[in-house]
Amino acid sequence: MYQTLAVAVVVLFLGSFLKKRIKLLETFCVPAPVVGGLIFAILSCALYATGVMELSFDETLKNVCMVMFFTSVGFQANLKVLKSGGVSLLIFLVCVTSLIIIQNAAAVGFSNILGVSPMLGMCTGSIPMVGGHGTAGAFGPNLEALGLEGATTLCTAAATFGLIAGSLMGGPLGRRLILKHDLLKTAVPVEETLPAHSEEQTSSAIQGYASAAYQLAIAMGIGTIVSWLLSKTGMSFPVYIGAMIVAAIMRNASEFSGKFEVPMPAIDDIGSICLSLFLGIAMITLKLWQLAALAVPLIILLVVQVVLMFLFSYFVVYNVMGRNYDAAVLAAGTCGFGMGATPNAMANMQALTDRFVPSVKAYILVPIVGSMFADFINSITITFFVNML
């Protein structure tokens, strides 16, 4: 277990080192664990293929880090924020929820057309697309338990593909919408000022780490009981779903009662660290040789997701969100987290706003929906689809 953790951290450092020196990796916001982990996975595959050795690792801490990360995601589900975002936030949330359902429906439908397992289709649906590498690593073992060999490897490969495709697509799509419809005249002028962070806020955030760790532990502990109760329904749920639900209840109890404080900056930081460690361990345990037999159907299913993402962003998000400059920037952002992660969405939007003008609306809606609610809704939707298959 300790050796596995050490190798995962070395992989993280390797990925960070390469990202600093290879601009393309930084441009596409490819996670450091994925960069270093893929190199390690390729080396591991070469050792296996040449008959030298097959590496195996202890995945105990991978599961602990996974649950802690998704617990931190649960704490982000703030109903007050959803309420304060107004109608635009609700509309965008409906768009993202629809995207998640469509991604899974397309994945399962086309897998049936190709004559492969619907579970393989799920490996290219919202698990790796909206969910990214974190959800891919979390649901992979669930699909393996249901009989799909190498599901974690498939999901992670699809997530890496989506990360790059979403980053490549978003900027050009938004640019085309802006220029084709002459949307600059609809842009809302803004004052380019950023809120200042006082020393008191920084000091308070530092002191909040102990409280954050304790609240995460409580949510995870009670969450096991909730997960156990949910399992009695006969449906299959990911191990972290109970902890996510408890965390969301704790966050909103804090917001509405004011009886205790949830230190979100510290919780986000701990969640981010756990995600990196989780991805590091998930990547070094990849078995790339399991992909060979599924290469063709996997590529076809991923191409379907790319076409779907383009059509949904270009025709649905742009039109539903107002057919203006903000809507075009939102469409570009949706390509980012719809096939990768919220940082990709922000990178897509930054590329547009640097070229044209800022979009306050897009910069508010995408982080809220992409970071706070998308993973939560995605986990529930995936669970429903998996149990329906």
Side-chain angles (χ1 to χ4, degrees), residues 18-268:
L18 292 174
K19 278 189 69 175
K20 290 176 183 177
R21 283 156 179 78
I22 303 175
K23 187 177 180 181
L24 193 67
L25 299 174
E26 190 69 45
T27 300
F28 290 136
C29 303
V30 181
V34 176
V35 177
L38 279 176
I39 293 173
F40 187 92
I42 291 169
L43 175 62
S44 175
C45 184
L47 292 173
Y48 175 84
T50 54
V52 176
M53 68 173 73
E54 180 179 353
L55 298 171
S56 61
F57 296 93
D58 186 297
E59 299 188 17
T60 304
L61 288 178
K62 183 183 100 171
N63 296 325
V64 173
C65 290
M66 174 187 70
V67 174
M68 188 165 287
F69 164 67
F70 278 100
T71 305
S72 74
V73 170
F75 273 109
Q76 294 172 354
N78 185 353
L79 293 179
K80 275 191 176 180
V81 173
L82 179 62
K83 185 178 178 181
S84 65
V87 177
S88 293
L89 181 56
L90 287 174
I91 293 173
F92 192 51
L93 189 58
V94 170
C95 282
V96 173
T97 303
S98 302
L99 173 63
I100 291 170
I101 295 170
I102 292 169
Q103 282 181 337
N104 289 318
V108 172
F110 275 89
S111 64
N112 288 328
I113 292 172
L114 293 171
V116 296
S117 168
M119 291 298 176
L120 172 62
M122 289 297 293
C123 290
T124 64
S126 72
I127 293 176
M129 295 295 113
V130 169
H133 287 87
T135 306
F139 273 93
N142 285 30
L143 298 180
E144 287 172 358
L146 293 171
L148 181 62
E149 184 181 0
T152 303
T153 305
L154 292 167
C155 288
T156 305
T160 302
F161 173 87
L163 199 77
I164 297 169
S167 295
L168 287 172
M169 186 195 312
L173 182 145
R175 178 180 176 275
R176 175 176 169 78
L177 284 170
I178 292 167
L179 297 179
K180 180 181 178 181
H181 300 288
D182 191 20
L183 299 178
L184 278 176
K185 61 186 179 185
T186 67
V188 180
V190 296
E191 294 181 12
E192 296 187 27
T193 56
L194 295 174
H197 294 280
S198 65
E199 290 184 8
E200 290 80 4
Q201 287 176 312
T202 304
S203 174
S204 175
I206 293 172
Q207 293 172 1
Y209 280 96
S211 175
Y214 301 153
Q215 291 188 40
L216 283 165
I218 290 171
M220 290 166 68
I222 300 175
T224 60
I225 300 171
V226 175
S227 291
W228 174 76
L229 291 172
L230 288 172
S231 70
K232 295 299 181 181
T233 63
M235 297 178 68
S236 174
F237 290 91
V239 65
Y240 59 76
I241 193 69
M244 280 185 75
I245 293 171
V246 173
I249 292 171
M250 289 174 63
R251 173 66 189 278
N252 288 285
S254 166
E255 293 290 334
F256 287 97
S257 72
K259 299 295 184 183
F260 65 98
E261 182 182 356
V262 175
M264 282 311 300
I267 285 178
D268 288 341

Side-chain angles (χ1 to χ4, degrees), residues 26-29 166-167 169-172 174-175 178 192 194 325-326 328-337 341-364 366-367:
E26 190 69 45
T27 300
F28 290 136
C29 303
S167 295
M169 186 195 312
R175 178 180 176 275
I178 292 167
E192 296 187 27
L194 295 174
Y325 179 77
D326 289 330
V329 178
L330 276 170
T334 303
C335 289
F337 76 79
T342 305
N344 296 77
M346 302 307 291
N348 285 354
M349 295 192 301
Q350 185 177 10
L352 284 175
T353 55
D354 286 349
R355 169 75 184 277
F356 299 107
V357 294
S359 171
V360 172
K361 184 177 181 180
Y363 269 75
I364 291 174
V366 167

